[in-house]
Amino acid sequence: MAEENEGSVPKKRTDPTSQLARGELMHADVKPLDLSGIPTVIFGIVAWAVAFVVVLIFRSELKKDGDEWWLWVTVAGFGLGWIGLAYCRRRWAAIQAGHRSEQED
């Protein structure tokens, strides 16, 4: 079997990584849509607030099952979201002022 492969030409790999390495594929320079992260974090804060309200509605059932701790999970998510918002605002202000690059984190 080894004798059959000695004279044959190796098959050209067609996986995307090989094609990119050979220059057959172009890697597009696409910038992210949300550079500041602020809208994403605000959405997360709102989602945790909605989850808090839903958990409050079902609090008696959760308490009966011993799962009342979910209430505190939503409170923690909401609070950490505000910390994340402060971080994103400070980071975006530094980017706008030219003190750091958009890729730097």
Side-chain angles (χ1 to χ4, degrees):
M1 200 174 214
E3 295 172 14
E4 293 175 18
N5 291 335
E6 285 180 18
S8 65
V9 177
K11 290 179 72 175
K12 188 175 184 181
R13 290 179 51 184
T14 58
D15 57 290
T17 305
S18 298
Q19 290 175 325
L20 187 62
R22 289 191 303 266
E24 295 174 358
L25 295 178
M26 300 290 288
H27 192 250
D29 292 329
V30 179
K31 292 189 174 204
L33 296 177
D34 177 20
L35 295 176
S36 71
I38 294 171
T40 305
V41 173
I42 290 173
F43 177 81
I45 291 170
V46 170
W48 281 115
V50 169
F52 177 76
V53 171
V54 170
V55 169
L56 275 180
I57 292 170
F58 295 104
R59 187 174 185 185
S60 61
E61 290 181 35
L62 291 171
K63 190 173 189 175
K64 185 173 35 175
D65 295 336
D67 291 331
E68 196 175 14
W69 57 272
W70 278 104
L71 181 68
W72 297 108
V73 170
T74 61
V75 170
F78 184 77
L80 289 172
W82 286 104
I83 293 170
L85 183 62
Y87 170 79
C88 286
R89 283 186 174 165
R90 187 172 53 241
R91 178 181 169 271
W92 186 244
I95 290 170
Q96 296 295 93
H99 297 300
R100 63 189 292 179
S101 71
E102 294 172 358
Q103 287 80 26
E104 186 181 327
D105 249 335

